[in-house]
Amino acid sequence: GPALETDEAALEAINQYLNGIDEVQARFVQIGPDGAMAEGDLFIDRPGRARFEYDPPHPSIVVADGREVAHQDRDLETIDRVPLRSTPLRYLLQREIAIEDDAEIVSIARQPGEIALTARDPEGEMEGELTLVFATPVLELREWIVLDALGQQTVISLSGFTRGGDFDDDLFELEDDRRPSRRRNR
């Protein structure tokens, strides 16, 4: 509809939609640069928090706690952490989302039934580009495409969006962080 016809109106609608997300949960399917597929459950608790819980046998859990994004590999028993602001999740999780203030808008592309916004970080803390694909005319986030600095593309498709109830805080922490007594000495 007319609400999305100009880029300015589209940006305003997208910001409003993203800022309206409080607690949501969805299924995700992730397709990596090599075509490998994984799926799982995504939980978002704005601002700041998210959890990607991959279905077994995939070993990953990815958790954003508002400051860092931690990636746990249950097979290797490793945890890698990076600052939230250096990951594309920052654009979904920050308290006040105004994408055009934070990012350089590369393009806004429309197709029947969808609109795609591609952005990159002008500061260069997050390398590469992020594309958010929304269903239209009623906005709903459908895909999240990350193009890294090497031109490798990862696509995360979302389905079955439901507004969350009260998520347990534990969801947004890794078990190792919750129970210091169980930390293994390396």
Side-chain angles (χ1 to χ4, degrees):
L4 300 168
E5 265 159 31
T6 67
D7 287 358
E8 205 175 338
L11 266 173
E12 195 174 327
I14 287 168
N15 284 332
Q16 197 176 345
Y17 165 81
L18 293 173
N19 280 310
I21 291 176
D22 177 17
E23 293 186 319
V24 295
Q25 140 176 28
R27 285 293 291 167
F28 72 87
V29 174
Q30 174 180 308
I31 298 176
D34 56 357
M37 195 176 98
E39 50 191 304
D41 293 297
L42 166 63
F43 302 88
I44 295 175
D45 185 3
R46 292 194 55 254
R49 306 198 301 176
R51 179 186 184 95
F52 291 84
E53 170 101 41
Y54 290 79
D55 295 346
H58 197 285
S60 294
I61 300 177
V62 175
V63 170
D65 67 1
R67 288 177 312 280
E68 292 183 318
V69 178
H71 174 212
Q72 180 172 25
D73 184 313
R74 288 170 286 198
D75 287 352
L76 301 175
E77 296 182 3
T78 55
I79 297 178
D80 295 311
R81 296 172 199 280
V82 293
L84 177 57
R85 66 173 182 278
S86 68
T87 76
L89 278 173
R90 66 189 258 191
Y91 292 115
L92 279 192
L93 297 181
Q94 57 204 16
R95 189 171 296 279
E96 284 297 323
I97 295 172
I99 292 178
E100 70 284 3
D101 291 352
D102 269 335
E104 180 188 330
I105 306 295
V106 177
S107 65
I108 294 178
R110 294 164 185 78
Q111 288 180 3
E114 71 172 48
I115 188 164
L117 168 82
T118 300
R120 65 172 161 231
D121 177 8
E123 309 293 311
E125 278 210 60
M126 181 197 97
E127 295 186 331
E129 292 182 354
L130 168 69
T131 300
L132 298 174
V133 182
F134 300 89
T136 59
V138 177
L139 285 182
E140 185 169 83
L141 182 58
R142 283 287 160 81
E143 276 188 342
W144 157 268
I145 302 165
V146 179
L147 188 69
D148 72 14
L150 303 173
Q152 303 271 315
Q153 181 172 285
T154 300
V155 179
I156 293 182
S157 302
L158 303 174
S159 62
F161 249 100
T162 49
R163 299 276 160 179
D166 267 341
F167 292 144
D168 195 317
D169 283 345
D170 281 1
L171 263 183
F172 307 103
E173 297 169 16
L174 294 172
E175 274 186 31
D176 285 25
D177 294 345
R178 288 208 292 273
R179 308 198 183 84
S181 61
R182 285 185 43 201
R183 283 214 169 156
R184 291 184 186 80
N185 295 322
R186 283 253 169 264

